[in-house]
Amino acid sequence: MPASSGKTTRHRLHRGGDRRANQALHTGVIVRLRYSDNARSYVQRRTSEGKSMPEIIRCQKRYLAREVFTALRRDCRALTP
């Protein structure tokens, strides 16, 4: 789904979704950006590439969502015989 405006060209996976899950991801990313050295270096690198802070947060949310989904699947497999 296109989500472009002006000179920015990007796509959004889905306009709908779970607002609480999105808020949890957003909070997790903000905490990471504040306390994680890896996240801070990522922000510096992406800022030097010309990305804005909302775009960086959006990318970090996708990355965190992948990590959480992988961890949930791994835990689910461990629980099922």
Side-chain angles (χ1 to χ4, degrees), residues 24-55:
L25 285 173
H26 182 79
T27 303
V29 167
I30 297 302
V31 168
R32 273 189 176 187
L33 292 177
R34 181 172 288 177
Y35 296 108
S36 172
D37 293 332
N38 290 338
R40 287 185 196 157
S41 63
Y42 177 83
V43 169
Q44 288 177 348
R45 181 170 50 90
R46 296 295 280 196
T47 303
S48 67
E49 293 174 1
K51 298 289 183 186
S52 66
M53 198 61 183
E55 288 178 309

Side-chain angles (χ1 to χ4, degrees), residues 9 14 17 23 37 59 63-64 69-70 74-75 77 79:
T9 304
H14 192 274
Q23 181 183 10
D37 293 332
C59 293
Y63 182 73
L64 181 59
F69 183 71
T70 303
R74 186 174 48 240
D75 289 348
R77 284 190 194 129
L79 291 175

Side-chain angles (χ1 to χ4, degrees), residues 5-9:
S5 64
K7 297 179 183 177
T8 305
T9 304

